[in-house]
Amino acid sequence: MLLLSFSNIFKHQLLGATINVGSKESVKPRDKLLGGLLTADFDEDSCLSRYQSSLYRKPSPYRTSEYLVSKLRDYEMLHKRCGPGTDAYKIATEKLGHDHEIVGDSSAGECKYIVWVAVYGLGNRILTLASVFLYALLTERIILVDQRKDISDLFCEPFPGTSWLLPLDFPLMGQIDSFNREYSHCYGTMLKNHTINSTSIPSHLYLHLLHDYRDQDKMFFCQKDQSLIDKVPWLVVKSNLYFIPSLWLNPSFQTELIKLFPQKDTVFYHLARYLFHPTNQVWGMVTRSYNAYLSRADEILGIQIRVFSRQTKYFQHVMNQIVACTQREKLLPEVAAQGESQVTNTSNPPKLKAVLVTSLNPEYSNNLKNMYWERPTTTGDIVKVYQPSRERFQQTDKKLHDQKALAEMYLLSLTDKLITSSSSTFGYVAQGLGGLKPWILYTPKKFKTPNPPCGRGVSMEPCFLTPPAHGCEAKKGVNTAKIVPFVRHCEDLRHYGLKLVDDTKDEL
């Protein structure tokens, strides 16, 4: 009886966690399918995060379009029909073992594919995986993901009754690691050498969409080139870029994208909540941390710290910047001066503010913790600082390290307010998954704290860090960011990064 009572109390607290466990507010019913974004066709125990994530979040203010829901259900059926283990997949792979060309597109088969190859760090991989999936959705291709790294240790299968993992006996598996800009089937190279046209289609193409891509590689984003690429049965892509903003600049995709995402700055938000469900091991890290350190707080502030320096050490000017940002933007209360007592607020009870810090270095959270331990706040509020891991340096492709990193991204997405570091894909994932417009720590120059130290983001969308400088039909000197009102320069990369923003308010 006692055990049953404890279980009921725990469930009540869990349901209230998204609203505020310690508050007196009533518990609202949860929407575990996220407005139809998710299908109910999965076994819940095999991937607890899929249907439990809504327990830890406030109700979403961003509505999922009915068109997107319909499109996802159609894609799931297509993947089940064409995915690994099907006759269609077997027929399609048989054509890959030979270096031949397809005349026209009549023999391409009913299913087309795009293979995502894991490169660079976890933040990059998540952003590119979302980008490639959206491209697959737009072009009715089957996405298959390279499973040789730790993808299956991080995420559950997103599509019911099938798998998105690329089989290890894939005919090109022994070659794809060597694919680069010079590869004979690289699209940019074939354009450069004039070895591809509408009457001579290769059985596969490699898309080089990394930060060092050439002008010819960037032609992938153009409408005329997409008409040609669409005829190729197999695409293999390597990317470390969130290239979704450039898909919006393609007229052949734009109408469809507007129907899928009427609010244009919610693209990654919806795609991430559909695709990326942490495995039970990672989800355990998330829930244990949340319930132990964050659930009782009246407000949670996330601070994501990434210093791009060859020296993986603590920098005082970065610490000064973090404090300056939290004080200037009133994200945390000030501490009383030496010898002063706290200001007692008799009208309102003190609040408990939890600060979740993610950083490779522990010194930033330690200093913040000491700051609020040694002196009282001027408001009487209590500040509790928590840092889940202290890895010191990035260790991509090490299973436990990547699992901790994913857990921390997810925890950051559960905060009420978020501070991120400029140009950090780790922060981009957290803000997008949480639907949060972050305060961005500007990049310091010459080891000095910037003034201002941070600024508010205009949208929750990640930044396309190195986009094509010009639209496909634009003349030289015409900036891509000026072609459409819903694509702007990123706040942290003022001169070349691009991001999606919501322009619907401008229309009202």
Side-chain angles (χ1 to χ4, degrees):
M1 191 73 179
L2 181 63
L3 182 63
L4 179 62
S5 175
F6 176 79
S7 175
N8 289 337
I9 291 171
F10 177 75
K11 286 180 180 178
H12 176 78
Q13 286 187 329
L14 193 59
L15 284 166
T18 57
I19 303 168
N20 193 337
V21 171
S23 73
K24 300 293 185 182
E25 296 178 48
S26 61
V27 175
K28 297 181 181 180
R30 69 185 181 109
D31 173 20
K32 74 174 187 177
L33 299 183
L34 309 181
L37 190 70
L38 304 181
T39 175
D41 294 343
F42 283 98
D43 169 55
E44 187 163 345
D45 291 338
S46 65
C47 183
L48 296 171
S49 66
R50 193 189 317 274
Y51 300 131
Q52 285 185 6
S53 64
S54 59
L55 294 169
Y56 292 84
R57 298 191 186 281
K58 295 176 181 177
S60 174
Y62 308 110
R63 183 174 172 270
T64 307
S65 72
E66 293 181 6
Y67 189 72
L68 175 59
V69 171
S70 174
K71 193 82 172 177
L72 291 173
R73 298 296 87 83
D74 289 344
Y75 175 83
E76 289 163 3
M77 289 189 289
L78 179 66
H79 198 109
K80 191 178 293 186
R81 189 170 72 247
C82 298
T86 63
D87 291 340
Y89 174 81
K90 182 179 179 182
I91 293 170
T93 53
E94 285 173 351
K95 300 174 182 177
L96 271 176
H98 310 281
D99 190 17
H100 70 283
E101 295 179 342
I102 299 170
V103 180
D105 60 348
S106 59
S107 61
E110 65 164 326
C111 303
K112 298 179 297 180
Y113 300 83
I114 184 165
V115 174
W116 172 87
V117 181
V119 291
Y120 288 83
L122 182 59
N124 295 96
R125 293 179 185 184
I126 293 173
L127 296 178
T128 60
L129 196 42
S131 302
V132 172
F133 174 68
L134 180 56
Y135 177 74
L137 202 64
L138 292 169
T139 57
E140 297 184 341
R141 286 183 180 271
I142 302 302
I143 183 173
L144 296 174
V145 304
D146 179 11
Q147 63 168 307
R148 294 170 302 160
K149 302 298 172 69
D150 53 13
I151 190 78
S152 59
D153 295 317
L154 299 173
F155 300 111
C156 304
E157 292 274 3
F159 315 128
T162 183
S163 176
W164 71 340
L165 299 178
L166 180 69
L168 295 175
D169 61 356
F170 177 63
L172 300 179
M173 188 65 85
Q175 306 171 44
I176 55 178
D177 286 338
S178 64
F179 286 4
N180 57 30
R181 296 187 306 180
E182 309 310 316
Y183 177 53
S184 61
H185 279 246
C186 176
Y187 183 62
T189 298
M190 295 188 84
L191 283 181
K192 184 179 178 181
N193 296 336
H194 307 287
T195 54
I196 186 172
N197 57 60
S198 59
T199 59
S200 181
I201 305 297
S203 60
H204 72 280
L205 277 178
Y206 164 59
L207 304 174
H208 188 85
L209 302 180
L210 292 160
H211 62 278
D212 64 347
Y213 57 170
R214 306 156 296 184
D215 286 344
Q216 293 94 337
D217 299 308
K218 297 172 186 177
M219 297 303 288
F220 163 79
F221 298 111
C222 299
Q223 185 174 20
K224 176 175 65 68
D225 295 76
Q226 277 300 317
S227 298
L228 181 59
I229 292 170
D230 189 58
K231 299 175 182 178
V232 181
W234 286 91
L235 303 177
V236 178
V237 60
K238 289 182 185 178
S239 180
N240 60 348
L241 301 168
Y242 180 73
F243 58 77
I244 284 177
S246 279
L247 297 180
W248 283 78
L249 300 177
N250 186 319
S252 61
F253 295 148
Q254 194 175 113
T255 302
E256 183 81 349
L257 285 166
I258 291 172
K259 290 163 66 179
L260 291 168
F261 306 101
Q263 190 170 343
K264 300 174 186 67
D265 64 348
T266 62
V267 179
F268 183 78
Y269 173 74
H270 289 309
L271 292 178
R273 292 191 311 153
Y274 173 75
L275 278 180
F276 303 124
H277 306 288
T279 58
N280 286 352
Q281 186 173 353
V282 177
W283 186 239
M285 294 179 185
V286 173
T287 56
R288 286 190 294 274
S289 293
Y290 188 91
N291 292 328
Y293 300 101
L294 306 176
S295 63
R296 294 168 183 80
D298 296 291
E299 184 177 290
I300 309 171
L301 172 67
I303 305 179
Q304 181 263 331
I305 305 166
R306 178 63 195 270
V307 180
F308 293 96
S309 171
R310 293 180 180 178
Q311 299 174 300
T312 56
K313 66 175 187 177
Y314 169 82
F315 291 98
Q316 186 58 45
H317 68 277
V318 175
M319 185 71 225
N320 296 340
Q321 181 181 10
I322 294 165
V323 173
C325 177
T326 60
Q327 304 296 300
R328 181 178 183 268
E329 302 297 327
K330 302 189 183 304
L331 298 172
L332 288 177
E334 297 180 7
V335 294
Q338 189 75 38
E340 288 185 6
S341 61
Q342 70 184 46
V343 175
T344 304
N345 190 337
T346 55
S347 59
N348 296 310
K351 291 183 178 180
L352 173 59
K353 296 195 173 187
V355 182
L356 172 70
V357 177
T358 65
S359 173
L360 292 172
N361 298 89
E363 289 86 355
Y364 299 106
S365 64
N366 288 343
N367 287 348
L368 202 58
K369 186 184 298 183
N370 290 336
M371 173 178 156
Y372 284 103
W373 180 53
E374 293 169 358
R375 297 184 189 179
T377 63
T378 57
T379 60
D381 291 340
I382 300 166
V383 177
K384 180 173 66 173
V385 180
Y386 168 59
Q387 179 170 342
S389 71
R390 299 154 185 250
E391 299 287 279
R392 288 291 180 183
F393 57 93
Q394 189 169 337
Q395 305 166 59
T396 300
D397 289 333
K398 288 195 175 181
K399 175 182 172 180
L400 185 57
H401 175 84
D402 283 348
Q403 288 180 326
K404 288 179 180 178
L406 177 58
E408 290 187 354
M409 290 179 192
Y410 210 99
L411 282 166
L412 285 171
S413 79
L414 298 177
T415 60
D416 299 303
K417 296 176 182 178
L418 180 62
I419 298 173
T420 62
S421 296
S422 174
S423 309
S424 172
T425 56
F426 194 112
Y428 291 158
V429 171
Q431 73 191 43
L433 186 60
L436 300 166
K437 293 181 182 179
W439 282 264
I440 302 167
L441 295 169
Y442 296 130
T443 303
K445 305 292 184 184
K446 298 180 179 179
F447 299 99
K448 293 183 179 179
T449 300
N451 185 21
C454 61
R456 189 73 187 274
V458 296
S459 86
M460 56 195 172
E461 275 287 297
C463 180
F464 184 1
L465 293 171
T466 53
H470 312 285
C472 298
E473 307 302 327
K475 298 178 181 178
K476 291 287 185 182
V478 178
N479 196 297
T480 305
K482 296 182 179 180
I483 296 174
V484 291
F486 48 82
V487 175
R488 297 182 191 170
H489 283 305
C490 307
E491 308 87 337
D492 44 347
L493 293 166
R494 297 177 185 274
H495 301 297
Y496 49 93
L498 293 180
K499 73 185 301 183
L500 290 165
V501 298
D502 181 29
D503 66 337
T504 56
K505 292 180 182 137
D506 298 335
E507 298 169 1
L508 298 177

